[in-house]
Amino acid sequence: AVVTNQGEENPPVAASPPLELSLGESGESLSSCMMFDIAILADMPVAFEGTATAVDGEIVTLDVDRWFTGGEAAEVTLIGTAGLEALIGGVSFSEGSTYLITATNGTVNYCGYSGQATPEMRSAFEEAFPG
């Protein structure tokens, strides 16, 4: 799909395909979470805010509300293993809820670097990714 600008000065922008990220494997350990730090958050290569539009077993679809860094897709699909949310720092997804997500090397980060959007978490993302 191509979005046109009806004769305005800016060139047309091609729509990006959905981004796919891994939620990790059930055997991966989250038991050694590093302490949350704004400086570490600011170094995350992928960070966005999105609303869950579908939660179907091991697949979560998010409509991106805002990219902080590392992407431009309108939709992100998270693919994982059932039960990951029970691990330390895991995220439990539900349709209609808003999340702040970071990822490194194609895998979602946990331990406070991704989760359901709260005023405190949103404030941390705003500080880490100004403007």
Side-chain angles (χ1 to χ4, degrees):
V2 174
V3 178
T4 62
N5 56 8
Q6 305 288 329
E8 296 176 17
E9 293 182 21
N10 296 327
V13 177
S16 298
L19 174 66
E20 285 190 5
L21 298 172
S22 170
L23 287 169
E25 299 295 326
S26 61
E28 292 178 16
S29 174
L30 296 176
S31 62
S32 59
C33 288
M34 67 181 116
M35 187 173 198
F36 182 83
D37 186 321
I38 295 288
I40 293 171
L41 177 62
D43 283 340
M44 295 293 177
V46 173
F48 68 95
E49 181 172 350
T51 302
T53 57
V55 179
D56 186 13
E58 300 170 4
I59 299 174
V60 177
T61 304
L62 300 168
D63 280 350
V64 177
D65 301 319
R66 176 181 177 188
W67 278 102
F68 291 95
T69 190
E72 57 186 40
E75 181 178 281
V76 176
T77 302
L78 307 178
I79 302 169
T81 304
L84 278 176
E85 67 277 359
L87 298 174
I88 295 171
V91 179
S92 179
F93 292 93
S94 61
E95 287 184 31
S97 294
T98 302
Y99 299 87
L100 290 160
I101 304 292
T102 66
T104 304
N105 298 324
T107 301
V108 171
N109 298 302
Y110 296 102
C111 301
Y113 294 97
S114 296
Q116 191 161 3
T118 63
E120 297 80 15
M121 191 172 198
R122 192 170 280 117
S123 177
F125 271 64
E126 295 286 343
E127 183 178 339
F129 305 102

